[in-house]
Amino acid sequence: MRAAAVITGLAFLAVPLVARFGHPGDYDASLRRGTQAGHERNTSAAGMMLGGFRTSLSDLMFIKTEHYLHSGVEYRPHVHADHGPSVAHGDEHAHEHGPDCDHDHDHEDVETVIPSPGRDFRGFIGWLERHVKPWRDPSLPHLLTDGTELLPWFRIMTLSDPAYIRGYSIGAWWLQSKNIDAALDFALEGIEKNPQAFEIYLTLGNIHMAMARRTRHDESASARAMAAAREAFERALELGLGQRPPDWNEDVADPRWGIYMENDLLAAARIAVIMESRHGDPERARVRAADLARRLGDDAILLRLSGENE
Amino acid sequence: MNVARPLWILVRASLLSFVRQRVVQVPFILMALFSLFALAIGRIGIESPAAGTFLLNLGLSAAWLAGHLLALLLAVRQWPEEIEHRTLYPLLARPVDRALLLAGKWLACALAGTLATSAFMLLAWFATPHLEPCHPVLWIQQLVLLPFSIAMLCALAMWMSLWMPRGVAVLAGILMLLAGAIPGKIAGRIAAPWLEWLVLYLPDVARLNLVTRYTDGVAALDAGLWLALLYYAVAMTALPLLLAGRLLNRRSF
């Protein structure tokens, strides 16, 4: 009996050695079925019917961040995970937010989940709901929080699903205003888990640019950060162009490529061209801008950068 | 001394008592409903292979979880109910070693859990169409790992039920089932190697769950990882059983 106890104890002590051998869940995310398969799954009849049971925990948490960002007010397009924000969308609001924000955040006229009085047939019940739950007139500008409360959700959603690209790209974007070194680590972790995710490279480029601005008093450090930013944007552009369907049309719903992915790719393209123009060969940048504009649906900014719209 | 016969009597008695419990019937009904649903969906038509794989993953995950929860609930009730209903004293009065009692109950729970979970998983596997390739060897590896993961969970649940309130033991068992990997991930972020080592001692039953790997179409486990998982399950089963045996021997009822 004593011998059995000793052997059992020793066997238990060796468990971490064995556990470090590997985990069945540790395999490259690229070995999974892919984002298109995920989209087909989520939009399938079975997926929608069983959505309440099988909804990705990460999707739920991402919608949670939307609620926190808008101080609890639920807006219709943002609740649908496929129409969530992108890194490019975030860049439009690239400044400090807070409850005392003195400017508008222009969104298109989006409806709230709780209907506004003109669209609510429920009368008193609707009035009660609008006064009990967080609600804001959709015609008014959105009030955004400063993003601090969102950060734990991004951490947990990426812990529960390391292949959740949006969690890394948007989370790192929000984190950079609080702790830029942590944002860099977070983005690099996202790239390690999702090496083909161009959205995370776009965020990484933004982080390096922010670091370059922060270290502008130190020329060499700033130059290094700017070079790293340029490399990240080029990589984002390369990956994005490779993944974008050549026949994509923004007027036709395509499960392979959404409007927010297109916005992120355009952002990467524009910044890559601008950086080429400022830190490389301006003439080559103009040619490149013209080529990218042709490939990406005659984007007005790229056309201007190419000199064709001057 | 021949322990096989008294052991078998204990196991059989426990298994018979399980059949009468409502907690056993509920997961069977739920899995039967899911299978009917999956068959109906298959008949109507599944619009894409990804949707079919989603259904397969859902069914197998639900089966794995339902079976393990069933085993947990059976195991965690064994000793507290014997004490509450005062049926423990006639048992202790018999010339049966307390360790044998423990082994009998543990075996019964593990056997019942394994049979139930295997039935659920086979039901889900046959009811859903297989529209994307999955590695068959991995499926066999999962079925072979089932009794080990169930036995591990039962051992932990029985040990915890001897010194924790039942509800807390159930909660702890659920955490081991669903969230066993989270302490390790958090320790990894803190980047404290000693803490990463320490949290590996926390039981993680989900480590033995190959369902998502299977439905993701990833290759089967190599021999090293496979043996490591078996070792993990055996070590994590043996220690709680040993501790439970010591607790039972020292405790006066």
Side-chain angles (χ1 to χ4, degrees), chain A residues 61-111:
Chain A
M61 282 188 272
F62 193 85
I63 291 168
K64 217 47 174 176
T65 63
E66 285 288 304
H67 296 163
Y68 274 81
L69 180 63
H70 292 94
S71 302
V73 180
E74 294 182 33
Y75 291 93
R76 282 198 177 277
H78 290 187
V79 169
H80 192 304
D82 284 347
H83 293 147
S86 63
V87 178
H89 178 89
D91 281 342
E92 292 165 18
H93 305 286
H95 48 267
E96 288 298 312
H97 298 290
D100 301 319
C101 240
D102 58 356
H103 52 270
D104 296 343
H105 294 118
D106 276 338
H107 287 251
E108 293 171 10
D109 192 16
V110 291
E111 260 299 322

Side-chain angles (χ1 to χ4, degrees), chain A residues 11 13 24 27 33 45 54, chain B residues 47 54 57 201 213 215-216 231:
Chain A
L13 285 173
Y27 48 88
R33 307 280 187 191
R54 188 67 178 89
Chain B
E47 56 263 62
F54 157 70
N57 180 277
Y201 285 112
R213 187 185 172 106
T215 55
D216 274 351
Y231 179 94

